[in-house]
């Protein structure tokens, strides 16, 4: 069975400092992994995806994530936080076959301090 | 805008009433998913359609829930005899590949 663990429910950073949101996964298959962002009263927006190509994945708005199979991790990073980054972030694993349904983590709420 | 749309955006209903939600996927997408998100949690998978065929249903989808996707276009999710525990955000997503899904804004259901 597949699962995702987001290690921090809340993260606070100062504007202009680096962001690190941690995610570990468990999968029987070669997984597809994603990060989505959810702003208040907005839909889920795809930040980036890993689908067995390059292990370092670049996404929108300066975010990137590195797939580390040995550590079963897919942490999300950004060099410099912006106030507009404040939102809920979800790490997602998808089955490698069948319905390709998503398994979501419980989310990390990012707060950016001025 | 040609993204996924959902209607209504908000629904308040009394316990025991039936409700129906609609999802219009991105037009060329043949895969459609429903998820449910409760406060403070990540979305949980409910059901999946490929074209008009409903291929998987989660154990979360009790007998009071039914979903359809006639002609492989829009989809409806109906909840009969609503309970307070049904209060949640219901999300629809569509996909044309085996990878990324595109989500609608959701329907927030409040059962009083």
């Amino acid at each position: 069975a597949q699962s995702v663990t987001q290690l921090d429910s809340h993260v606070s950073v100062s504007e202009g400092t680096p962001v690190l949101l941690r995610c570990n996964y468990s999968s029987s298959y070669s997984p597809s992994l994603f990060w989505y962002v959810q702003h208040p009263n907005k839909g889920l927006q795809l930040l980036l995806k890993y689908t067995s190509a390059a292990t370092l994945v670049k996404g929108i708005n300066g975010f990137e994530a590195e797939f580390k199979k040995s550590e079963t991790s897919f942490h999300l990073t950004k060099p410099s936080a912006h106030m507009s980054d404040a939102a809920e972030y979800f790490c997602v694993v998808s089955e490698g076959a069948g319905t390709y349904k998503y398994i979501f983590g419980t989310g990390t709420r990012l707060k950016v301090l001025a | 805008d040609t993204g996924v749309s959902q209607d209504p955006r908000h629904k308040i209903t009394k316990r025991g009433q039936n409700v129906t939600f609609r999802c219009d996927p991105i037009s060329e997408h043949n895969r459609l998913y429903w998820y449910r998100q409760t406060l403070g949690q990540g979305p949980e998978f409910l059901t999946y359609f490929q074209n008009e065929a409903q291929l998987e249903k989660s154990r979360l989808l009790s007998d009071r829930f039914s979903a359809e996707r006639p002609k492989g276009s829009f989809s409806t999710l109906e909840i009969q005899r609503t309970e307070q525990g049904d209060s949640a955000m219901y999300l629809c997503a569509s996909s044309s590949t085996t990878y990324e899904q595109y989500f609608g804004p959701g329907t927030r259901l409040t059962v009083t």
Side-chain angles (χ1 to χ4, degrees), chain B residues 56-81:
Chain B
E56 184 170 342
K57 292 168 57 173
S58 163
R59 285 171 294 176
L60 293 175
L61 218 61
S62 76
D63 292 345
R64 297 183 298 105
F65 288 71
S66 63
E68 294 182 340
R69 193 184 181 197
K71 302 179 183 177
S73 56
F74 71 92
S75 176
T76 59
L77 178 67
E78 181 183 16
I79 309 174
Q80 297 182 325
R81 304 181 304 281

Side-chain angles (χ1 to χ4, degrees), chain A residues 41-107:
Chain A
N41 300 315
K42 296 282 182 68
L44 287 158
Q45 181 184 17
L46 178 67
L47 279 178
L48 50 79
K49 63 183 180 184
Y50 166 78
T51 55
S52 73
T55 57
L56 182 62
V57 181
K58 293 188 184 298
I60 62 171
N61 300 334
F63 284 95
E64 62 181 41
E66 186 171 7
F67 173 72
K68 292 186 176 180
K69 185 175 182 179
S70 60
E71 299 176 10
T72 62
S73 69
F74 190 58
H75 301 334
L76 181 70
T77 61
K78 182 174 180 178
S80 176
H82 190 273
M83 295 297 289
S84 61
D85 294 328
E88 187 91 19
Y89 291 79
F90 291 98
C91 182
V92 178
V93 64
S94 177
E95 295 179 336
T99 66
Y100 297 91
K101 66 187 178 189
Y102 280 0
I103 308 299
F104 283 80
T106 51

Side-chain angles (χ1 to χ4, degrees), chain A residues 36 38 49 99-102, chain B residues 33 35 56 98 100-101:
Chain A
Y36 280 80
Q38 188 174 42
K49 63 183 180 184
T99 66
Y100 297 91
K101 66 187 178 189
Y102 280 0
Chain B
Y33 303 80
Y35 295 84
E56 184 170 342
T98 55
E100 67 263 32
Q101 297 175 23

Side-chain angles (χ1 to χ4, degrees), chain A residues 4-23:
Chain A
V4 171
T5 301
Q6 291 184 244
L7 298 166
D8 306 292
S9 58
H10 294 81
V11 169
S12 291
V13 300
S14 297
E15 190 176 22
T17 64
V19 176
L20 170 64
L21 305 184
R22 297 182 294 165
C23 172

